[in-house]
Amino acid sequence: MKYLMGEEKEKAIIYFEKAKELAKKATCKRTKCGAVIIKDGKVIGEGFNSPPGNLESQRRCFIKKNEYPEKTTDKTCCVHAEHRAVADALKKNPEKLNGSRLYFARLNMDNEFRFAGKPYCTICSKFVLDSGISEFVLWHEEGIADYDAEEYNDVSFGLS
């Protein structure tokens, strides 16, 4: 992981602004997240978290994780912003995914930006790595951190 500096940091801030705008569209009742995938300075995929199909009937935001049915292994309530961004890129720009960068932003329920914690979602980290995205970018309190996708996956599993 490296912290972005100078012009690279300035560009990242612009992409984070786009991710924040997308997060405002999220309909999850727990948290609002947005993600953009960038290649050659252009957005090739974008997404926000919400129930599958954006269907109110699929909302699971208020089920406590320990109350999910025993056969359910995934305790997330919504489709993650990262998944939606990858799916969007696969629909519109599949040839551009390899070597791209994903920027992820989280807002509180008042649409205020929240700094990212350590990588933790192994579902997203595996999906990003498998899709060909080469970097995952988070904005920590210490600065804007650029993770190699393989490193991000290792960190999310607690292996680094």
Side-chain angles (χ1 to χ4, degrees):
M1 182 262 300
K2 68 175 183 174
Y3 286 105
L4 301 181
M5 307 296 278
E7 186 178 326
E8 204 172 20
K9 180 180 177 181
E10 290 174 25
K11 286 181 184 177
I13 291 170
I14 293 167
Y15 302 137
F16 274 109
E17 289 303 320
K18 176 67 175 163
K20 287 187 221 178
E21 287 304 311
L22 287 163
K24 290 177 183 177
K25 296 179 180 182
T27 61
C28 181
K29 301 295 184 187
R30 289 185 178 176
T31 190
K32 296 180 174 192
C33 302
V36 292
I37 301 172
I38 306 295
K39 178 78 178 262
D40 299 325
K42 294 184 172 45
V43 175
I44 63 164
E46 55 186 38
F48 56 88
N49 64 318
S50 288
N54 293 323
L55 298 171
E56 191 63 30
S57 64
Q58 296 300 305
R59 181 171 305 287
R60 309 284 189 263
C61 301
F62 300 111
I63 298 175
K64 293 179 183 167
K65 291 186 180 197
N66 63 347
E67 294 175 354
Y68 273 82
E70 201 173 297
K71 62 185 172 188
T72 303
T73 57
D74 175 17
K75 307 297 188 218
T76 57
C77 57
C78 290
V79 176
H80 288 192
E82 302 94 306
H83 281 153
R84 287 223 164 113
V86 171
D88 187 50
L90 286 169
K91 287 178 194 172
K92 298 175 181 173
N93 301 289
E95 71 289 349
K96 294 183 179 178
L97 261 174
N98 281 333
S100 61
R101 256 186 183 170
L102 186 145
Y103 294 79
F104 173 82
R106 182 185 309 271
L107 306 176
N108 67 20
M109 296 313 285
D110 293 323
N111 290 328
E112 297 165 335
F113 179 71
R114 291 175 48 195
F115 288 110
K118 291 184 179 180
Y120 66 90
C121 182
T122 59
I123 295 168
C124 290
S125 68
K126 290 182 288 189
F127 194 57
V128 165
L129 182 60
D130 200 46
S131 71
I133 294 170
S134 63
E135 298 168 80
F136 201 116
V137 185
L138 299 175
W139 197 334
H140 299 298
E141 265 187 85
E142 303 80 20
I144 297 175
D146 181 10
Y147 293 84
D148 171 270
E150 189 171 352
E151 173 194 22
Y152 185 88
N153 191 51
D154 288 344
V155 172
S156 71
F157 271 92
L159 300 174
S160 288

